[in-house]
Amino acid sequence: MKHTMKAVTILTVLFMLLLGLALVCVGAILFAMVPTNGTCIARPWFVVIGSTLQIVPLIVKVAAINKIFRAARRLTSVRIKANHLYMIVGMITGSVMIYLLVWTLVDPMSVVSTHTLTKDIDPDGARVVNVTYSCA
């Protein structure tokens, strides 16, 4: 039973990293698309939550390993429960989600168009205007 628990713990951290990577990839695809109000709001959610799920579990795991080595240096034992580590990751991810929610409610991103007058002239003799869309 203990061997199965270790495998599940390792797979859970790996799953969080892969889920974070997948969310960042979805965010990158959204950045490549033509902006709409929906994609402008979704971009930071996917990228920030994905980055959080990639970085935070690693930092928590390194902190736990550091705690083990410090205890070994003092010749004391230490117990680290996986549920406690998952709770820390969940609390940090939850706080990031609350931050994103407040940001989205207070100042949601929307599509902004920029018109640029060029020196080019079309066949009708009119000046060409370039229109670009971005999120702001």
Side-chain angles (χ1 to χ4, degrees):
M1 183 69 176
K2 289 188 177 198
H3 294 292
T4 307
M5 194 63 183
K6 286 182 182 179
V8 169
T9 303
I10 292 170
L11 288 177
T12 304
V13 172
L14 181 63
F15 175 72
M16 281 190 262
L17 295 173
L18 291 176
L19 178 64
L21 181 64
L23 290 175
V24 170
C25 288
V26 170
I29 291 170
L30 291 176
F31 272 99
M33 294 172 58
V34 176
T36 64
N37 286 335
T39 59
C40 286
I41 292 172
R43 285 175 180 180
W45 278 83
F46 280 104
V47 172
V48 173
I49 292 174
S51 299
T52 302
L53 286 177
Q54 286 179 11
I55 294 171
V56 171
L58 292 177
I59 292 172
V60 170
K61 193 169 186 175
V62 168
I65 292 169
N66 188 26
K67 186 175 182 180
I68 292 169
F69 276 102
R70 281 187 292 150
R73 196 174 298 146
R74 293 186 311 251
L75 300 176
T76 60
S77 65
V78 64
R79 287 190 59 163
I80 298 175
K81 295 184 179 182
N83 289 338
H84 179 70
L85 300 178
Y86 298 143
M87 186 178 69
I88 293 171
V89 172
M91 286 174 35
I92 294 172
T93 305
S95 63
V96 167
M97 292 176 83
I98 290 171
Y99 170 77
L100 286 169
L101 181 65
V102 169
W103 179 18
T104 302
L105 292 176
V106 171
D107 187 23
M109 296 185 88
S110 60
V111 178
V112 175
S113 62
T114 305
H115 303 320
T116 308
L117 186 63
T118 65
K119 294 183 179 182
D120 299 334
I121 297 177
D122 69 356
D124 295 332
R127 301 276 302 264
V128 175
V129 177
N130 287 335
V131 180
T132 57
Y133 298 99
S134 61
C135 296

